[in-house]
């Protein structure tokens, strides 16, 4: 299964960003697992990001296919986020009904977050799509008033909620910050009780800046670089992406150390 956490970072003015983070593990029961699975996606020309949990193989194929169609639609960048969500729902519902039942877990959840339009600044929305072979439900989610989770889903949900609750109840300098959500997320996938979750985080983001699209973020954990769960060698590590370490500090992908001049983020202490 998966741990999926979508959250918003809010500053003194308004929401400044939205993120979706997942682990990178796909499991085949107790038989085996694969730790380099892609579970997060970003639209290149529209400020929207996606992540999934549930039926992993079906989700990867259906989401990739739907994104290809959406990005091929003329002037799709001029549409609103909810218009794209509705197109996305139409495509995955049609194809999921044709997916082999005997190869499926029977359900999937997709979370899609972003800005309402490509021109908008601090107006963000988030939608959750729950689909089975029989029915599909689209839900518009409320954003929190402070930096924090929008939705938590997947088999790792219980571990995350337990850890995040501990963070909020403590004398935590990170309380109600974007980095605190990531701290709880990362602790959940490396320390949690669910063997179907872990151990490599992947992140996608949308920022408030107008006329920017969704973006993949690089992560540096255990002295290794990853994008979408894939190990990235030094010679091809792109500097144009935003890179984070396990403390959610902006990180240089080549030195694998906190970027010079980047804000130091205090770690969580129980």
């Amino acid at each position: 299964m998966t741990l999926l956490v979508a959250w918003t970072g809010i500053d003194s003015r308004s929401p400044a960003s939205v993120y979706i983070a997942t682990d990178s593990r796909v499991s085949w029961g107790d038989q085996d697992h694969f730790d380099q699975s892609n579970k997060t996606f970003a639209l290149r020309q529209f400020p929207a990001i996606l992540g999934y949990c549930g039926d992993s193989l079906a989700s990867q194929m259906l989401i990739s296919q739907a994104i290809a169609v959406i990005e091929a639609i003329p002037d799709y960048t001029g549409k609103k986020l909810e218009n794209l969500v509705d197109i996305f729902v139409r495509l995955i519902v049609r194809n999921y009904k044709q997916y082999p039942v005997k190869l499926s877990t029977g359900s999937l959840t997709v979370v899609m977050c972003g800005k309402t339009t490509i021109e908008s600044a601090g107006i963000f929305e988030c939608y959750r799509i729950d689909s089975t072979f029989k029915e599909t439900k689209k839900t518009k989610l409320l954003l929190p008033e402070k930096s924090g989770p929008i939705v938590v889903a997947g088999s790792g949900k219980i571990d995350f909620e337990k850890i995040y609750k501990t963070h909020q109840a403590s004398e935590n300098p990170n309380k109600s910050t974007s980095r605190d959500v990531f701290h709880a997320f990362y602790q959940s996938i490396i320390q949690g009780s669910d063997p179907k979750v872990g151990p490599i985080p992947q992140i996608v983001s949308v920022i408030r800046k107008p006329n920017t699209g969704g973006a993949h973020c690089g992560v540096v954990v255990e002295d290794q670089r990853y994008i979408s769960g894939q190990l990235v060698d030094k010679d091809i590590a792109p500097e144009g992406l935003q890179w984070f370490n396990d403390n959610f500090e902006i990180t240089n992908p080549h030195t694998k150390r906190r970027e010079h001049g980047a804000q130091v983020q205090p770690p969580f202490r129980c």
Side-chain angles (χ1 to χ4, degrees), residues 35-85:
D35 283 340
Q36 285 76 42
S37 178
N38 182 25
K39 298 183 180 181
T40 54
F41 304 82
L43 294 182
R44 293 175 298 174
Q45 300 178 59
F46 190 88
I49 51 178
L50 303 92
Y52 73 81
C53 61
D55 198 334
S56 295
L57 297 181
S59 297
Q60 287 185 43
M61 288 188 285
L62 296 176
I63 292 172
S64 297
Q65 204 172 36
I67 288 175
V69 172
I70 286 173
E71 293 194 327
I73 297 173
D75 195 35
Y76 90 98
T77 55
K79 299 181 181 297
K80 295 182 178 180
L81 177 63
E82 187 167 9
N83 296 145
L84 298 184
V85 173

Side-chain angles (χ1 to χ4, degrees), residues 7-11 14-19 124 146-148 177-178 208:
W7 75 94
T8 181
I10 298 176
D11 61 19
S14 63
S17 55
V18 288
Y19 299 89
F124 291 89
K146 298 180 179 179
S147 297
T177 63
S178 186
R208 178 166 53 201

Side-chain angles (χ1 to χ4, degrees), residues 21-121:
T22 70
D23 68 313
S24 301
R25 175 170 290 178
V26 171
S27 299
W28 289 267
D30 297 328
Q31 300 177 52
D32 212 338
H33 62 264
F34 176 64
D35 283 340
Q36 285 76 42
S37 178
N38 182 25
K39 298 183 180 181
T40 54
F41 304 82
L43 294 182
R44 293 175 298 174
Q45 300 178 59
F46 190 88
I49 51 178
L50 303 92
Y52 73 81
C53 61
D55 198 334
S56 295
L57 297 181
S59 297
Q60 287 185 43
M61 288 188 285
L62 296 176
I63 292 172
S64 297
Q65 204 172 36
I67 288 175
V69 172
I70 286 173
E71 293 194 327
I73 297 173
D75 195 35
Y76 90 98
T77 55
K79 299 181 181 297
K80 295 182 178 180
L81 177 63
E82 187 167 9
N83 296 145
L84 298 184
V85 173
D86 289 339
I87 295 172
F88 185 84
V89 170
R90 188 196 316 174
L91 294 172
I92 65 169
V93 167
R94 178 185 301 154
N95 289 333
Y96 196 37
K97 288 181 179 179
Q98 301 178 57
Y99 195 78
V101 175
K102 64 182 180 181
L103 301 179
S104 173
T105 62
S107 65
L108 59 87
T109 294
V110 178
V111 175
M112 191 168 182
C113 301
K115 293 185 291 185
T116 54
T117 67
I118 194 168
E119 298 87 3
S120 61

Side-chain angles (χ1 to χ4, degrees), residues 32-262:
D32 212 338
H33 62 264
F34 176 64
D35 283 340
Q36 285 76 42
S37 178
N38 182 25
K39 298 183 180 181
T40 54
F41 304 82
L43 294 182
R44 293 175 298 174
Q45 300 178 59
F46 190 88
I49 51 178
L50 303 92
Y52 73 81
C53 61
D55 198 334
S56 295
L57 297 181
S59 297
Q60 287 185 43
M61 288 188 285
L62 296 176
I63 292 172
S64 297
Q65 204 172 36
I67 288 175
V69 172
I70 286 173
E71 293 194 327
I73 297 173
D75 195 35
Y76 90 98
T77 55
K79 299 181 181 297
K80 295 182 178 180
L81 177 63
E82 187 167 9
N83 296 145
L84 298 184
V85 173
D86 289 339
I87 295 172
F88 185 84
V89 170
R90 188 196 316 174
L91 294 172
I92 65 169
V93 167
R94 178 185 301 154
N95 289 333
Y96 196 37
K97 288 181 179 179
Q98 301 178 57
Y99 195 78
V101 175
K102 64 182 180 181
L103 301 179
S104 173
T105 62
S107 65
L108 59 87
T109 294
V110 178
V111 175
M112 191 168 182
C113 301
K115 293 185 291 185
T116 54
T117 67
I118 194 168
E119 298 87 3
S120 61
I123 306 175
F124 291 89
E125 295 177 338
C126 189
Y127 295 86
R128 173 173 176 155
I129 304 160
D130 294 288
S131 186
T132 67
F133 288 119
K134 294 182 179 180
E135 60 181 357
T136 298
K137 179 181 179 182
K138 182 188 81 172
T139 306
K140 185 176 181 180
L141 304 170
L142 296 176
L143 272 63
E145 295 181 357
K146 298 180 179 179
S147 297
I150 304 170
V151 59
V152 183
S155 61
K157 177 179 178 179
I158 294 175
D159 285 331
F160 173 86
E161 291 181 337
K162 181 179 179 181
I163 291 172
Y164 189 71
K165 183 178 180 180
T166 300
H167 285 209
Q168 296 302 296
S170 68
E171 294 298 323
N172 178 10
N174 298 316
K175 189 179 297 185
S176 298
T177 63
S178 186
R179 63 182 174 271
D180 189 46
V181 180
F182 181 78
H183 288 175
F185 165 79
Y186 187 60
Q187 284 182 293
S188 300
I189 67 172
I190 63 172
Q191 301 174 7
S193 60
D194 189 347
K196 298 178 181 179
V197 172
I200 302 168
Q202 53 185 271
I203 314 171
V204 285
S205 68
V206 173
I207 61 173
R208 178 166 53 201
K209 184 178 178 180
N211 300 309
T212 54
H216 291 273
C217 301
V219 295
V220 177
V221 293
E222 299 294 329
D223 211 34
Q224 299 286 348
R225 310 171 195 84
Y226 297 94
I227 299 173
S228 296
Q230 172 66 56
L231 185 68
V232 177
D233 298 320
K234 182 178 180 179
D235 64 319
I236 61 171
E239 292 187 351
L241 297 185
Q242 196 168 32
W243 288 79
F244 297 104
N245 61 15
D246 57 5
N247 201 38
F248 211 57
E249 295 168 323
I250 297 175
T251 300
N252 185 300
H254 298 294
T255 64
K256 296 184 282 190
R257 300 293 178 263
R258 181 171 54 84
E259 191 72 79
H260 179 71

